[in-house]
Structure formats: structure tokens, C-alpha cells
Amino acid sequence: MSNVRGNSELLLGAHVSAAGGPVKALERAEQCGCTAMQIFVKGNTRWDFPPLDEAEAAEFRRRAKHSPVRVTVAHSIYLVNLASANPLLWEKSIEDMVDELVRCELLGLRGLVVHPGAHGALTRDEGIERVATALDEILTRVGRIRCKILLETTAGQGTSLGARLEELHEIRRRVRARSQVGFCVDTCHVFAAGYELRTRDAYERFWAEFDRIVGRKHLHALHLNDSKGDVGAHLDRHAHIGQGKLGLEAFRLIMNDRRLLGIPMVIETPKGPDMQEDIANLQTLRSLRPSKGTQSRG
């Protein structure tokens, strides 16, 4: 995020369970050797959740200052749909995002990742307008905060928005307080949406298009996930690093790209309760790093 952008630090980690509270999540991330992590700041499958304890939030902020986990971002709950034409669901999604942003601010987090949503029976443009209007309302209610809303790239299943970079740009362009809106790129999602990443030329073309349409300065997080589906399949199914259709070369290019240093990169790959899969995936990613001082441009 803005406090680390531009440095030469590799910020690599995983989405970590926050069961037992955010401090427990920090401890789990540290045990896996993370320098970045992603969490849910409330239960991810229901709307109502007890308020965040301020003493617990203060303890998290204190511990985070001295932790090797340099950056934590949050992911919104799965129920949120800011593009919905259903007024009850749309308003509930706004209320939830306000609640989650308040929690993020209490914890000192710099980003809340959210899928733009599915427009359903609405047209694509109506859905984009619906998301932008929701973001305006959310940002009005929370006021000026440090935590940014990070719109995530999507695989393009059904009527979900965010599979094309143009859609993400258009949503942000319509938001009044757009300085508080950034983006998160998910490797599985962009690949499934049709963006090829498996060769150096294709990788460079993607980032050139991203820079032209969206702007790299608005990129604040990366999700590193392999893909069970092939390019353009619109299948949102994550695979372990190097074991999906993306393969190791795409991740080698990412891990060797000095332009991405200082941006938190987290895996969301399948895992068990002991997080051994996370440890293995992170080891795989680190093994793709060059010797110190030889990072390539991309």
C-alpha cells in the first residue's frame, strides 16, 4: 500500500484464517513466514457479526508494528453485491462495506478487496453505474479514511463485472472520491477472463494494457493463484502454484518483476487447517526468485 509502495521489499503471504481474532491471524501468518497477509475482518458467510473489540484492535496494531508481516489487507464477505438490482441486497451490501471499512480502519489496514458484483438482469452499463453509486454512498458514510476500497479483477462468470480492465476503469472513473478506490489483480481471474500471462511477451502485453487502461499507480494488491481452468474459460477455480493451467512460468515472471516489489501479494490457494499447503506454495514462489540484485523488469 502507500506506506510501502516504491520500496524493494518482497511482500508475500497468504489469506489467513482470523478465527480467534486478528492477532491470532497475525501469529498464523508469521508461522508461515509471510511478509503480507489477507484476512476477513468479520464472518464471511453472514451479514451480522459482533462489533470488533477496540482493545483487540489496539493489540493488533501494536503487534503489527513489530511483525515481519509488513502489510495486511482484508477481503470483503462473499455476500456483497454492489451491482445488484435488488434494492434490499444493494443496501445490505453498502451497509456491510461501511461496517468492514470501519473495522479495517480500527485495525490500521490499508485495503479492503471486493468483487465489483454481478449485474444480473441489468445491462452492463447499468451494473457499472450501480457499483459506482454504491461506492459513492459507502465513501460518503465512512468519510475520509486511510483504507482504500480495492476492486478485484474477476473471471467473468455469468454477469459478474470486472473481467475486463475497461470495466474496472469505468467504475472508478464514475466515483466522486476515486482517490479512495484502487485495484487488486488476481492471476487466476485475469487468466480465466482471457488475458494470457504464460510467456514474457504476453505478460508484458497484459501490464502494458493495465498501465494504459487502469494505471499501475492504482494497483495496491495482487492475488497469486494458479487456475484450474484454461485461458478464457471464465472459471473461478484456484489451483496450487505451478499445478494449474497457468504453470510456473507466469509466476516466475511475477516474482522476478521489480515493478511489483512493495505491493502485497497473497495466495488464496486450497488449504488445510495446519496451513502446510500455504507453506509449500510460498516456498515454490520464493524458489522462483533470482539471486539478489538480478530482478528483471518483467
Side-chain angles (χ1 to χ4, degrees):
M1 308 304 292
S2 58
N3 64 326
V4 292
R5 176 177 291 282
N7 71 18
S8 59
E9 188 174 4
L10 175 66
L11 299 173
L12 182 65
H15 183 102
V16 178
S17 169
V23 173
K24 289 294 293 182
L26 192 62
E27 292 172 353
R28 293 184 183 104
E30 290 171 349
Q31 290 167 6
C32 289
C34 296
T35 52
M37 75 170 181
Q38 179 177 272
I39 60 172
F40 291 118
V41 292
K42 62 188 292 186
N44 67 319
T45 58
R46 67 181 194 267
W47 296 110
D48 298 320
F49 208 72
L52 181 63
D53 182 78
E54 293 194 19
E56 186 178 30
E59 176 62 11
F60 174 84
R61 294 195 304 271
R62 186 190 69 79
R63 289 283 301 273
K65 286 181 181 179
H66 308 287
S67 174
V69 180
R70 294 273 288 111
V71 180
T72 301
V73 296
H75 198 296
S76 71
I77 67 172
Y78 297 140
L79 300 175
V80 168
N81 184 359
L82 300 176
S84 177
N86 181 322
L88 295 178
L89 176 56
W90 189 72
E91 178 58 34
K92 200 71 175 173
S93 298
I94 289 172
E95 291 173 357
D96 174 83
M97 286 290 291
V98 170
D99 178 45
E100 292 199 61
L101 283 167
V102 169
R103 293 168 187 261
C104 288
E105 196 74 358
L106 278 172
L107 292 167
L109 310 190
R110 296 297 184 88
L112 174 61
V113 178
V114 62
H115 296 176
H119 59 78
L122 299 175
T123 66
R124 172 186 165 277
D125 190 68
E126 288 171 336
I128 287 172
E129 184 63 25
R130 198 79 169 148
V131 177
T133 301
L135 292 175
D136 275 336
E137 180 61 24
I138 291 163
L139 293 170
T140 296
R141 292 188 193 183
V142 298
R144 191 71 180 179
I145 59 174
R146 298 182 74 189
C147 184
K148 291 182 182 290
I149 296 173
L150 305 182
L151 300 174
E152 183 178 350
T153 56
T154 65
Q157 289 181 304
T159 64
S160 63
L161 296 169
R164 307 308 302 172
L165 297 176
E166 291 85 354
E167 294 175 353
L168 296 175
H169 164 74
E170 187 59 25
I171 291 169
R172 184 178 184 276
R173 187 190 69 80
R174 298 188 192 191
V175 177
R176 291 192 300 271
R178 65 182 66 94
S179 64
Q180 291 181 255
V181 178
F183 302 103
C184 171
V185 166
D186 184 304
T187 55
C188 170
H189 296 174
V190 294
F191 180 71
Y195 293 100
E196 181 61 84
L197 299 171
R198 292 174 291 189
T199 67
R200 182 176 294 276
D201 285 347
Y203 178 84
E204 290 295 340
R205 282 196 300 272
F206 169 75
W207 285 115
E209 190 169 352
F210 189 93
D211 290 339
R212 178 177 60 83
I213 296 171
V214 176
R216 190 77 60 94
K217 65 182 178 181
H218 303 307
L219 176 67
H220 294 286
L222 285 159
H223 289 166
L224 304 187
N225 302 305
D226 211 324
S227 174
K228 290 187 177 180
D230 212 335
V231 62
H234 302 293
L235 183 67
D236 183 3
R237 294 292 184 276
H238 298 178
H240 294 297
I241 303 300
Q243 298 181 24
K245 297 294 186 179
L246 260 171
L248 285 179
E249 186 57 26
F251 296 102
R252 189 188 313 279
L253 291 166
I254 290 170
M255 295 301 292
N256 292 356
D257 191 343
R258 66 172 181 262
R259 298 167 299 185
L260 300 178
L261 294 175
I263 298 174
M265 301 185 284
V266 297
I267 58 173
E268 299 173 312
T269 43
K271 71 184 72 186
D274 61 0
M275 298 182 68
Q276 289 304 306
E277 297 87 349
D278 282 349
I279 292 170
N281 279 307
L282 292 173
Q283 287 176 341
T284 298
L285 287 169
R286 292 191 187 97
S287 75
L288 302 175
R289 293 271 288 165
S291 300
K292 187 176 180 181
T294 63
Q295 289 94 341
S296 69
R297 186 173 183 276

